[in-house]
């Protein structure tokens, strides 16, 4: 089953700056071939369901190894049976409406 | 790796009433032995990391089979290396503070 | 506009134990009359839209005053125009299906 | 109080294609001066706390007027007292680590 997801990892008990942890997870997601696209509150990914969640698990393992004793990750995951749609397609679909609609 | 999680499944293109789908997912989570505890915006579960996410996958498969063409699930997942803590422990810890603190 | 919501506050840079902060926010939500119902990953509330978000703002102010330099809150908010439905109604609707359906 | 947020609006009972609704909300966020930056699972915004949540309320009002009987919005909101940080700063901070760190 194909999945599209948004992954926002939040290390706790690891200080106020989270960017090193987020970058480490970003590398994990890229190495898994999930086409990560970073934004300010998470990372859009897409791929096989099991590959996505195996990568999220590796993110937790990696960030714990870096010293964070506690991690909270917020995941949005989407699946659909009616048609194929990439994350890029989703964004393009909204942007097309923004460009052409007149209120 | 042990995981605690909150799972909120949202079928799309399936009408305005979601309770039949949520109930079906609830059964999947219970059968997986994840100790589900339902609230108004999701279900708290806990268990082995892989068991949790295999169950979420089965929720998606089940809800698609019931006719929903598209599903969005919001997951919060927590892991910690410093100590064991159940979902009940987390709630009890807050309630204890509410009972004893005087502002 | 009436709103139902789930509010999960996460103080960052404030150590690994979050229960004191969550309890402080819980008090804010109760004092605002939002009928808070705590679970392991947040708190279900309901009330007027503006009252809900004014209370979330007071949660942030309170938790910053307690010493947390950074806060991330995850909110799910629901509105509907087709009918009135309380958080208790939502849970009862799923539980009824769980009790009566036979697979 | 300044807030940075991620807003993902999900109309329910409105069919399987959500892009027209998301585009309408996007316009509301832009008109409110919140510097929206769309991704596949939401929109990053930033501005005054009250302006952010007034705009989310207008998104709900607009999407209900377009015919969606039920809406679920997932919001992540961040505040910090230790320093100013824009959404762009957050992304740049992670990308800098990705560019310079060697594993």
């Amino acid at each position: 089953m194909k999945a599209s997801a948004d992954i926002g990892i939040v290390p706790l008990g690891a200080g106020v700056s989270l960017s090193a942890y987020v970058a480490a997870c970003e590398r994990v997601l890229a190495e898994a071939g999930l086409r990560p696209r970073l934004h300010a509150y998470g990372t859009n990914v897409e791929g096989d369901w099991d590959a996505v969640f195996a990568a999220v698990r590796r993110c937790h393992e990696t960030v714990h190894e870096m010293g964070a004793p506690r991690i909270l990750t917020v995941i949005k995951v989407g699946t659909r049976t009616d048609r194929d749609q990439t994350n890029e397609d989703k964004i393009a679909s909204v942007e097309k409406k923004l460009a052409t609609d007149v209120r």
Side-chain angles (χ1 to χ4, degrees), chain A residues 33-49:
Chain A
L34 299 175
R35 304 176 52 180
R37 183 175 172 276
L38 178 72
H39 61 87
Y41 276 92
T43 300
N44 296 171
V45 297
E46 59 200 336
D48 174 70
W49 176 287

Side-chain angles (χ1 to χ4, degrees), chain A residues 22-65:
Chain A
V22 173
C25 178
E26 202 71 8
R27 268 187 228 108
V28 168
L29 299 172
E31 284 165 10
L34 299 175
R35 304 176 52 180
R37 183 175 172 276
L38 178 72
H39 61 87
Y41 276 92
T43 300
N44 296 171
V45 297
E46 59 200 336
D48 174 70
W49 176 287
D50 291 335
V52 168
F53 289 102
V56 178
R57 182 182 170 145
R58 281 199 299 282
C59 281
H60 274 239
E61 290 165 347
T62 303
V63 171
H64 280 312
E65 279 163 23

Side-chain angles (χ1 to χ4, degrees), chain A residues 10-15 21 60 63-72:
Chain A
V10 185
L12 301 173
Y21 304 101
H60 274 239
V63 171
H64 280 312
E65 279 163 23
M66 290 172 74
R70 190 175 178 181
I71 304 170
L72 171 70

